[in-house]
Amino acid sequence: MVSLLLYMAILAPGISGNDGQSTVLKPTSPTIHNHESVFTVPPDADIGMNILPNINDPEAVDPQKVCPGYIALGVKSTTTGLTANLALAGPACNVYGNDIDYLTLVVGFQADDRINIQIQPRYLGRENETWFVLPEALVPRPDDSSRVTESSHPLEVSWSNEPSFSFTVTRKETKNVLFTTKGSVLVYEDQFIEFVSSLPDNYNLYGLGEVMHGFRLGNNLTRTLYAADVGDVIDANIYGNHPIYLDTRYFTNEKGGLVYAANATDKTAKYVSYTHGVFLRNVHAQEIILQPSSITWRTLGGSIDLYFYNGPSAEGITKSYQRSAVGLPAMQQYWTLGFHQCRWGYENWTVLNDVVDNFAKFEIPLETIWTDIDYMKGYRDFENDPERFSYEEGARFLSKIHGNNQHYVPIVDSAIYAPNPEDAADAYPSFDRGVEANAFVMNPDGSPYIGAVWPGYTVFPDWVGAVLNGSGAIDWWADEFIRWSKKIAFDGIWIDMSEVASFCVGSCGSGNLTLNPVHPPFQLPGEPGNLVLIYPENFNKTNATEAASAASALAAQTQTATTGVTSTTTAYYRTTPTPGARNINWPPYAINNYHGDLGVHALSPNATHHGGAVEYDFHNLFGHQILNATYQALLKVFSGKRPFIIGRSTFAGSGKWAGHWGGDNESLWVFMFLSIPQALSFSIFGIPMFGVDTCGFGGNSNYELCSRWMQLSAFFPFYRNHNSIGSISQEPYLWDSVITATKKAMHIRFLLLPYMYTLFALANKDGSTVMRALSWEFPNEPWLANADRQFLLGGAVMVTPCLVQGASTVDGVFPGVGNGTVWYDWYNSTAVTGVQPGQNITIDAPLGHIPVYLRGGNVIPVQEPAMTTADSRNNPWGLLVVLDKGGAAAGILYLDDGESLTPNATTWVNFSATIGSLTARPHGNYMDKNPLAYATVLGLSHAPSKILLNGEVLDASLWKYSKEKNLLSLGGLNTRFSKGAWSSSWNLSWE
Ligand SMILES: *[C@@H]1O[C@H](CO)[C@@H](O)[C@H](O)[C@H]1NC(C)=O
Ligand SMILES: *[C@@H]1O[C@H](CO)[C@@H](O)[C@H](O)[C@H]1NC(C)=O
């Protein structure tokens, strides 16, 4: 990751925070130059205490060695669970907080695939309850109304007091221990909880995000969960927090029993897999330490509220997790599946208009144009810059693009500018109304907490106070959106900086508002001397001089940054527990936070919410609750329509309100690869509307990377090209090869839109996933446990992208072939043959070609592409009938108006093909008038003598059969379906 680190160094020349690195420095927009004459927040304002993370601290005490654990007393078994009291088993260790003497344990068999193990303090004083018990108003508990008896449950929970309290979760069928704290002590303090489970050799864990990492987490990784404004640094704690993992275990069937297969590589053996899921309902800062044979879970507060999902399929767990715990993902409007173009640095409406025109000129579909913070007046939410982004010109531009069925999405930041009280011209009514509504987070003394973000010194909306205490942030936020929507006809909202980021430690703006607006405490790319020099790996620039000068500048900058690091003092700030009190700013246990001190580049842990709750206890929820507030706001702005929101910081459950983009990646090949594991992880998290900054955000892209990436992202639900101002432009029309590659991939995407939309409808209905890992769909192939360079869209479409610079082939597997799965090449409709299970096949992938395969057994409805999704929705239909080995296939299609929250008409169409026949059965009242134009049957091994539609023989001119390809093609069907392809049931048969 040398290049990444170099890039980080370049972004932050001369800044040496306590970790020697900076972060997410978004490149400047031209207006930032206004700041040059103004006060700059001093760089040291964002430096906190020099903290050494516990996991790197040779002096750190291991709680397992010093803590006494607990003893269970008064254990009561009921038919649906058990309860017990736990008492500290010896003198308190007070290792990273104050031990809680007495706890209660509640084990509940809550549903037939789920159990809950809850441990919390026995005596909860009301005032301190939220330290321990996460309010359901903020994060609901799963429904437990359908309790089942322990005897009928697939999982079993046992406990022991030898040598101290431990619990064990076992799967009855396999007698496999899923989770056991045996051999470890339970540590339960006011600022530190630790429990440890052993895990089998070579375990396969997935989830525990948000992290830039391969899909399988490996057996040696510390995952820190603490929302941070950190630009996609590999393995660091970044924007979102999802304390859930899936654990997949492979077994062989031997001597009548299942034997755990730790190194399941024998491709001739028969394997079965069982997956279970573990969710910790806890919002505190956490650290999860994966070691070769154990998982150690640490949290800096809250309670143990663990949910075990039986599975045994990954799909079963993600469905159940979403249905029971976090909520089903929001249904998206149809248009949101179109292509989105964005960049930081679109400096005015004219530039935006040119970009839109260029897409039309090059005939590349464009659905939505976005603006980053360039449009804002002094970076203030809800105010457009009157010169560059006036409401009048905006109204004309938006009316034009809306007339083309195109859309517009602006960014909205999380912090609110606090205007200069001595400058009447600096008045900011949104701020005044927020103050009036008690909408902002406070200091412990009740004064406003004032940090610093893009506009200068800012305040922060208090979502926690609004939910728990009824203060005004959510209503105020909605009102601001309603007011602004009357001036600017946006179609969706992009929420940024929601970790929540602040560029200084503490309330640095208190007493300083008369300096506002102020410049951030670091130099921005685009400002003099701050060049963006990164090019994709192995990039060979034809202009050698530029490359050479880039290299020497890079070396110089790296030098500076390195010097900064070595000069850092090694006097670390450590704290020890104070009896009876918490140290919330500097907790005794130091997590491996990317920014070090918890208060760096974020709201301080002691920032105070209305009602008295402190940020320490709710930090990981800011990004989640701003999505809730924005969802409520957009419901008011667009009455009856599905809100379209893309957010940066997320928590378990954010998918019910919003989608997510992968954050500030770089124009590097490694980030294109990482987009796949990141997307698959967000499938687990219940946030299917996911995509990354295509062609890369930071650094300069090039035609090869951008061509590959535009093709790859065409198969991600959220498809957006986004870039930063310091970098060279990367709209897909800028390079010939990218134009061709983009059109080709977009053509496929548009054909598949009805399929993708149906996947979203299913996700919204029962929590099934949209992007899928190969191991989920083919659970009996252990060699797929690591597979994250290929993926499936739904169950029917497999994508095998080329992710390597300079390559013209890609190696890929064809899962399921050992069990008769047949794959068809999208481009030539022929079956892939001669492949062994797990075999890596070298596939041709010249630049401009992305290998895509269809899985036998599926009927896939397609619709003719157009320049926008709305126009495509008015085009004729087609059907791809992809037969399995036995000549059967099935599929489903969902239709509605594409935008209503509660559509008044919906239609589901079921397709089924058996030998010699295909039936479509619509049910529902949504009318789609487009005819069926064609149907293609792949994998038909004999030539039909005649073909009948609803029993009537079809003219031979309407179909042809290719023996060589086993392909039946029917065309010119439009007139037969003039009332619409799905207006009634029909049957197509061949003899
Ligand atoms: C509750 O918190 C206060 C500090 O706010 C502390 O003094 C007190 O000991 C706590 N009570 C319990 C039961 O933890
Ligand atoms: C575990 O990861 C750490 C940090 O990346 C590394 O230094 C160490 O060598 C790894 N240990 C093993 C056994 O791979």
Side-chain angles (χ1 to χ4, degrees):
M1 287 331 310
V2 171
S3 358
L4 172 70
L5 293 174
L6 289 181
Y7 184 69
M8 296 308 294
I10 288 161
L11 281 178
I15 302 174
S16 53
N18 55 351
D19 51 13
Q21 298 281 340
S22 187
T23 155
V24 236
L25 304 184
K26 284 193 161 188
T28 180
S29 92
T31 49
I32 274 188
H33 297 297
N34 298 342
H35 277 158
E36 276 168 14
S37 55
V38 305
F39 177 77
T40 294
V41 176
D44 62 6
D46 203 19
I47 297 177
M49 291 297 186
N50 195 19
I51 304 285
L52 180 63
N54 181 281
I55 57 162
N56 297 333
D57 185 353
E59 291 170 28
V61 175
D62 178 356
Q64 291 299 317
K65 297 214 169 101
V66 298
C67 293
Y70 288 80
I71 292 293
L73 305 163
V75 180
K76 288 198 195 86
S77 282
T78 65
T79 50
T80 60
L82 70 84
T83 59
N85 292 320
L86 304 179
L88 207 57
C93 60
N94 297 331
V95 61
Y96 297 116
N98 296 294
D99 286 23
I100 311 292
D101 294 341
Y102 299 103
L103 307 171
T104 54
L105 164 75
V106 179
V107 176
F109 288 76
Q110 294 190 329
D112 57 13
D113 69 337
R114 180 178 84 239
I115 57 172
N116 173 226
I117 296 182
Q118 198 189 7
I119 303 175
Q120 59 184 40
R122 185 166 179 193
Y123 304 107
L124 286 163
R126 275 216 69 76
E127 56 174 334
N128 297 347
E129 223 155 78
T130 55
W131 293 7
F132 300 109
V133 181
L134 175 58
E136 288 207 53
L138 285 165
V139 179
R141 298 194 80 213
D143 168 50
D144 66 350
S145 55
S146 64
R147 287 179 166 257
V148 295
T149 59
E150 175 166 9
S151 58
S152 65
H153 205 279
L155 303 178
E156 183 180 273
V157 180
S158 57
W159 63 278
S160 164
N161 268 341
E162 291 303 322
S164 69
F165 171 75
S166 67
F167 66 86
T168 299
V169 180
T170 307
R171 187 189 296 284
K172 288 177 187 165
E173 184 187 352
T174 58
K175 300 188 178 58
N176 188 235
V177 171
L178 305 185
F179 199 93
T180 180
T181 64
K182 228 183 173 78
S184 69
V185 294
L186 169 66
V187 184
Y188 208 117
E189 304 180 331
D190 56 359
Q191 285 195 275
F192 183 79
I193 294 173
E194 172 172 297
F195 53 95
V196 182
S197 169
S198 48
L199 288 176
D201 287 349
N202 209 19
Y203 56 81
N204 304 301
L205 254 58
Y206 310 89
L208 297 177
E210 179 176 18
V211 62
M212 305 306 292
H213 191 92
F215 181 49
R216 179 177 177 272
L217 295 173
N219 306 154
N220 177 29
L221 178 72
T222 297
R223 279 296 303 118
T224 303
L225 269 55
Y226 187 73
D229 173 9
V230 173
D232 282 358
V233 173
I234 288 170
D235 288 350
N237 56 308
I238 56 172
Y239 315 109
N241 294 287
H242 296 270
I244 174 176
Y245 70 77
L246 303 191
D247 176 338
T248 299
R249 300 183 186 181
Y250 296 93
F251 298 84
T252 51
N253 216 327
E254 285 166 39
K255 300 176 196 113
L258 290 171
V259 178
Y260 177 73
N263 288 304
T265 49
D266 177 358
K267 288 176 184 165
T268 60
K270 272 208 161 327
Y271 296 95
V272 289
S273 81
Y274 288 81
T275 300
H276 66 275
V278 180
F279 170 51
L280 181 67
R281 185 176 159 274
N282 182 302
V283 301
H284 278 79
Q286 291 171 40
E287 207 139 83
I288 301 136
I289 302 166
L290 301 178
Q291 286 169 316
S293 58
S294 65
I295 178 169
T296 299
W297 210 314
R298 296 172 169 167
T299 103
L300 300 198
S303 70
I304 297 177
D305 192 10
L306 272 171
Y307 297 84
F308 291 87
Y309 289 88
N310 174 54
S313 70
E315 181 84 359
I317 296 161
T318 48
K319 279 182 177 173
S320 183
Y321 170 63
Q322 292 171 58
R323 273 198 312 249
S324 67
V326 299
L328 293 162
M331 186 59 188
Q332 295 296 322
Q333 295 188 57
Y334 203 96
W335 66 264
T336 66
L337 300 178
F339 177 70
H340 304 265
Q341 180 64 47
C342 186
R343 95 164 284 180
W344 173 305
Y346 286 151
E347 32 188 275
N348 53 44
W349 289 123
T350 311
V351 170
L352 229 54
N353 189 58
D354 289 348
V355 173
V356 172
D357 286 352
N358 279 333
F359 273 88
K361 182 168 140 201
F362 291 99
E363 295 176 328
I364 301 173
L366 173 69
E367 192 82 15
T368 306
I369 187 84
W370 294 49
T371 46
D372 205 314
I373 60 176
D374 310 279
Y375 78 85
M376 296 177 178
K377 176 184 170 191
Y379 305 108
R380 303 162 185 209
D381 283 349
F382 312 120
E383 286 197 357
N384 277 36
D385 184 283
E387 305 294 318
R388 296 172 300 106
F389 282 94
S390 75
Y391 294 124
E392 298 69 32
E393 198 184 338
R396 287 194 294 276
F397 170 69
L398 294 181
S399 132
K400 168 186 147 176
I401 67 166
H402 285 149
N404 295 337
N405 292 319
Q406 291 171 312
H407 302 86
Y408 168 65
V409 175
I411 200 169
V412 169
D413 275 337
S414 300
I416 295 294
Y417 181 63
N420 186 329
E422 289 180 359
D423 180 0
D426 203 37
Y428 182 34
S430 295
F431 168 83
D432 298 337
R433 287 188 290 262
V435 170
E436 191 70 19
N438 287 328
F440 302 126
V441 175
M442 302 169 294
N443 284 308
D445 67 3
S447 64
Y449 182 105
I450 302 168
V453 195
W454 302 118
Y457 292 124
T458 59
V459 292
F460 301 85
D462 180 8
W463 315 119
V464 168
V467 172
L468 296 185
N469 189 253
S471 61
I474 294 176
D475 291 341
W476 160 79
W477 189 247
D479 181 56
E480 293 303 321
F481 271 99
I482 292 167
R483 289 168 185 270
W484 189 45
S485 71
K486 290 177 180 151
K487 300 174 190 160
I488 196 82
F490 56 80
D491 300 289
I493 290 295
W494 173 23
I495 295 291
D496 199 14
M497 310 300 288
S498 50
E499 292 67 37
V500 57
S502 175
F503 300 155
C504 64
V505 176
S507 190
C508 65
S510 290
N512 290 329
L513 286 186
T514 53
L515 297 170
N516 242 351
V518 296
H519 186 285
F522 42 77
Q523 201 184 11
L524 293 150
E527 288 179 332
N530 208 356
L531 304 167
V532 174
L533 299 166
I534 284 295
Y535 289 89
E537 297 95 325
N538 300 322
F539 178 72
N540 191 2
K541 213 166 188 307
T542 45
N543 185 338
T545 328
E546 189 173 341
S549 84
S552 66
L554 181 122
Q557 306 253 17
T558 310
Q559 194 82 39
T560 320
T562 311
T563 318
V565 174
T566 35
S567 68
T568 303
T569 168
T570 49
Y572 295 108
Y573 184 67
R574 292 185 174 89
T575 65
T576 52
T578 308
R582 300 192 302 171
N583 186 339
I584 57 178
N585 279 348
W586 298 284
Y589 182 86
I591 59 166
N592 188 29
N593 180 26
Y594 181 79
H595 290 300
D597 188 330
L598 299 181
V600 170
H601 219 74
L603 213 54
S604 248
N606 72 345
T608 303
H609 299 277
H610 291 270
V614 289
E615 181 67 4
Y616 178 88
D617 294 315
F618 298 102
H619 169 84
N620 284 341
L621 286 184
F622 189 101
H624 182 61
Q625 287 300 339
I626 195 175
L627 295 174
N628 177 16
T630 307
Y631 187 86
Q632 309 305 330
L634 295 198
L635 283 181
K636 291 184 176 157
V637 172
F638 305 103
S639 170
K641 277 196 198 173
R642 303 164 199 161
F644 175 51
I645 306 165
I646 294 293
R648 194 165 79 177
S649 182
T650 58
F651 187 75
S654 295
K656 60 184 172 279
W657 301 314
H660 174 59
W661 96 103
D664 293 351
N665 62 8
E666 315 292 341
S667 297
L668 293 171
W669 290 78
V670 63
F671 284 98
M672 179 168 64
F673 153 65
L674 285 168
S675 72
I676 303 173
Q678 201 180 5
L680 297 175
S681 302
F682 275 88
S683 289
I684 297 176
F685 305 150
I687 308 184
M689 190 62 177
F690 177 86
V692 304
D693 286 351
T694 301
C695 302
F697 174 74
N700 297 309
S701 201
N702 73 341
Y703 74 90
E704 188 189 359
L705 178 63
C706 199
S707 166
R708 293 297 193 192
W709 213 333
M710 283 300 296
Q711 291 208 317
L712 172 59
S713 289
F715 297 89
F716 279 47
F718 176 52
Y719 185 20
R720 187 182 73 159
N721 177 319
H722 180 41
N723 189 13
S724 53
I725 192 178
S727 312
I728 61 169
S729 295
Q730 61 182 36
E731 288 80 10
Y733 50 72
L734 288 173
W735 298 276
D736 280 348
S737 57
V738 183
I739 295 175
T740 318
T742 299
K743 285 185 180 180
K744 210 169 145 184
M746 282 193 183
H747 187 84
I748 304 174
R749 181 185 180 88
F750 268 82
L751 283 166
L752 291 175
L753 282 176
Y755 171 74
M756 217 189 256
Y757 189 66
T758 302
L759 289 173
F760 267 92
L762 292 167
N764 177 254
K765 198 172 165 219
D766 70 3
S768 60
T769 50
V770 177
M771 273 178 75
R772 298 183 189 168
L774 270 51
S775 61
W776 298 347
E777 289 285 312
F778 299 92
N780 302 329
E781 299 184 31
W783 44 86
L784 299 178
N786 255 328
D788 56 9
R789 297 179 155 256
Q790 298 175 264
F791 63 90
L792 290 132
L793 187 56
V797 178
M798 180 170 72
V799 183
T800 307
C802 177
L803 302 167
V804 176
Q805 189 270 328
S808 58
T809 60
V810 56
D811 287 349
V813 291
F814 290 91
V817 290
N819 296 317
T821 300
V822 189
W823 293 97
Y824 295 85
D825 187 317
W826 169 276
Y827 300 92
N828 64 19
S829 303
T830 53
V832 175
T833 54
V835 180
Q836 298 305 308
Q839 186 187 2
N840 246 326
I841 301 290
T842 300
I843 301 161
D844 270 346
L847 194 62
H849 177 76
I850 182 165
V852 177
Y853 299 92
L854 298 176
R855 179 181 181 183
N858 292 285
V859 179
I860 304 166
V862 294
Q863 200 161 16
E864 282 306 290
M867 293 299 282
T868 60
T869 60
D871 292 344
S872 181
R873 285 203 88 188
N874 290 327
N875 281 345
W877 293 89
L879 270 185
L880 304 178
V881 183
V882 193
L883 299 177
D884 67 12
K885 220 172 144 190
I892 190 163
L893 169 67
Y894 173 74
L895 299 161
D896 66 13
D897 67 7
E899 59 178 26
S900 295
L901 199 59
T902 318
N904 57 16
T906 64
T907 291
W908 290 90
V909 188
N910 288 94
F911 304 101
S912 88
T914 51
I915 302 163
S917 152
L918 166 71
T919 307
R921 280 195 198 83
H923 42 99
N925 53 356
Y926 180 78
M927 298 303 281
D928 178 292
K929 296 235 160 61
N930 304 304
L932 181 72
Y934 66 92
T936 309
V937 184
L938 288 76
L940 188 63
S941 54
H942 71 277
S945 57
K946 61 177 173 183
I947 294 185
L948 300 99
L949 179 60
N950 295 328
E952 213 177 291
V953 177
L954 272 189
D955 192 289
S957 67
L958 296 179
W959 60 272
K960 63 175 193 283
Y961 177 76
S962 158
K963 177 71 214 155
E964 186 198 336
K965 292 186 168 183
N966 287 338
L967 187 68
L968 170 65
S969 314
L970 298 100
L973 302 177
N974 308 45
T975 54
R976 312 272 165 158
F977 290 94
S978 53
K979 285 194 185 134
W982 328 118
S983 59
S984 56
S985 293
W986 51 261
N987 174 272
L988 189 75
S989 56
W990 48 89
E991 290 173 4

